[in-house]
């Protein structure tokens, strides 16, 4: 008792720093947008250099079989935060001005961590929807990140290519002038405002497909927006802004255990590097914004080091889906690519059921705890909830997630055996080194983005061990394996399957 009192007194005197508690490490998930497996140089398959990510990757665990749940953004983010397969939630599709797709009663990583005393924050892209009815950006916007577990949020609502082009902090549009209210419109094509189609003379970036409505900062966007002049973000300063907000958040909460979801906007379109990075990659704006993102990650790392937080902070770096070059703007991504391979040797890309859609850079790092390693274990972002839960001593679990805390943080144990992959509401199945993609209607390729989608009239079956690039369909030659894969896949998809079929046909 005496000792306890003494400890309490010391605590009061020196303002106890709970973040040195090894059972409650800080957790930072850095989540890039559309960063491909080959876009990180430590993966050794592309030619773009990412020295800051490499430093973390080479000192942490670099997973070669790490997956986002989906080949697009909103479903992947949904799955990451809830530990639930996105095809169980029919609203988990690419969102545009949509309402919140996480039910406020659902378990999430930040909610689970809060039960263990964590501070929880998100800075960056959200893209999980806001509100329950038509969103009024001039009032408190709710529910949103703060209603599904985040104590603090500084976000852009959807993506950089969608209106409203404003930041939202804890439910309120930043710098909103009440005399200049914001109106947003995604449907009416005659909204009367300058747009990509009507006013090409105002454009500093040309649209290729979609993205032909409101012009903000010379860039045409998806949807129209009126008002909110003072609240509009500066595209070229976005990376600096999010970094600054992330650092500010860390400074504010560093005396407690904290979780930060730092969701970078790069290299999603429109690619608007700060002038400091223009030309830095020699690959045009797509390469330049990856250089910018890499720099931001280095700055965040330095900030943790300067604040003596590195030893007790887990850093995870990954991406929400695979790479795309032309995602709707003429920005030289294709022309200046040179011999860089954003997808490495993987087939497909963003939107695709082939490997490059979902297999992404995936790095875990915990200074002094996790030893440098390259791991071929199969791991997914769906597993973060259960793994973090074990780490902090919680018994909260999702049923789709697997506890991979040993694989992520202790250099031991086995990864997953199997995984359902998702791409624009279609699903495929990986088990061991085998991948089965069921037949789907629709074009084999999206010619706008120049990506093979994985649609085919036949079942596709690949052995990734001997055929990483998914060139040899073994469905006919190995019908036994195919049947085994189909049965297990159907078993997992189970009663959800009719719903999924319906979505696919929509
Ligand atoms: C698509 C957009 C694409 C991108 C994507 C979302 C068109 C033609 N394409 O609808 O540019 O914004 O949505 O990307 O509008 S994601 O990474 O957030 O899922
Ligand atoms: Ca994305």
């Amino acid at each position: 008792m005496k000792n306890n009192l003494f400890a309490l007194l010391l605590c009061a005197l020196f303002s106890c720093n709970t973040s040195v508690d090894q059972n409650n490490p800080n957790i930072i998930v850095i989540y890039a947008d559309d960063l491909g497996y080959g876009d990180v140089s430590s993966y050794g398959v592309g030619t773009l250099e990412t020295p800051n990510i490499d430093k973390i990757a080479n000192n942490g665990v670099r997973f070669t079989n790490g997956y986002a749940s989906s080949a697009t953004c909103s479903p992947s983010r949904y799955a990451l935060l809830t530990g639930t397969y996105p095809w169980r939630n029919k609203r988990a599709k690419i969102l545009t001005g949509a309402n919140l797709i996480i039910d406020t009663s659902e378990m999430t990583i930040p909610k689970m961590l809060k039960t263990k005393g964590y501070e929880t924050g998100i800075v960056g892209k959200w893209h999980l929807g806001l509100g329950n009815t038509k969103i009024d950006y001039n009032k408190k916007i709710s529910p949103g990140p703060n209603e599904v577990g985040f104590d603090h949020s500084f976000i852009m609502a959807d993506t950089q290519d969608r209106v409203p082009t404003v930041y939202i902090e804890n439910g309120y549009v930043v710098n909103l002038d009440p005399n200049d209210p914001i109106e947003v419109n995604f449907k009416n094509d005659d909204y009367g405002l300058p747009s990509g189609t009507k006013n090409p003379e105002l454009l500093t970036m040309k649209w290729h497909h979609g993205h032909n409505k409101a012009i903000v900062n010379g860039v045409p966007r998806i949807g129209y927006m009126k008002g909110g002049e003072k609240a509009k973000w500066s595209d070229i300063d976005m990376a600096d802004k999010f970094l600054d907000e992330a650092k500010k958040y860390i400074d504010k909460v560093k005396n407690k255990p904290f979780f930060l979801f730092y969701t970078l906007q790069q290299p999603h379109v429109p690619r608007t590097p700060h002038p400091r990075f223009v030309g830095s990659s020699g690959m045009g704006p797509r390469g330049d914004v990856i250089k910018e993102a890499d720099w931001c990650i280095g700055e965040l790392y330095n900030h943790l080091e300067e604040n003596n937080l590195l030893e007790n902070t887990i850093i995870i770096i990954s991406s929400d889906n695979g790479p795309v070059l032309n995602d709707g703007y003429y920005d030289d991504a294709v022309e200046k690519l040179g011999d860089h391979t954003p997808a490495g040797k993987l087939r497909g890309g963003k939107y695709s059921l082939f490997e490059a859609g979902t297999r992404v850079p995936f790095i875990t790092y915990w200074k002094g705890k996790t030893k440098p390693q390259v791991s071929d274990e199969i791991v997914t972002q769906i597993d973060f909830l259960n793994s973090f839960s074990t780490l902090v001593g919680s018994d909260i679990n999702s049923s789709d997630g697997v506890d991979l805390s040993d694989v992520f943080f202790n250099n031991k144990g086995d990864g997953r055996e199997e995984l359902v992959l998702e791409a624009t509401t279609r699903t495929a199945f990986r088990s061991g080194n085998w991948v089965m993609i069921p037949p789907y209607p629709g074009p084999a390729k999206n010619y706008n983005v120049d990506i093979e989608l994985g649609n085919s009239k036949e079942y596709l079956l690949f052995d990734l061990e001997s055929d990483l690039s998914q060139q040899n369909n073994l469905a006919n030659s190995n019908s036994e394996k195919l049947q085994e894969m189909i049965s297990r896949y159907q078993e997992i998809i189970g009663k959800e399957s009719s719903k999924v079929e319906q979505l696919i046909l929509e």
Side-chain angles (χ1 to χ4, degrees), residues 33-34 71-75 77 94-96 125 127 158-159 161-162 209-211 222 268-269 320-321 327-329 350-351 448-449:
D33 194 0
D34 299 359
T72 58
C73 167
S74 310
R77 283 160 209 259
I94 297 179
L95 307 179
T96 302
K125 170 175 172 171
H127 213 187
D158 283 349
T159 53
D161 59 3
R162 285 156 168 77
H209 57 278
H211 310 96
I222 297 172
H268 194 285
V269 295
D320 65 344
N321 53 254
D327 206 12
Y329 296 95
K350 181 175 179 176
Y351 310 111
N448 273 332
V449 295

Side-chain angles (χ1 to χ4, degrees), residues 50-57 291 294-299 317:
T50 52
N52 293 296
I53 303 178
D54 290 353
K55 184 167 145 189
I56 297 172
K291 297 296 269 184
D294 182 67
W295 176 83
C296 290
I297 293 172
E299 286 298 296
I317 304 175

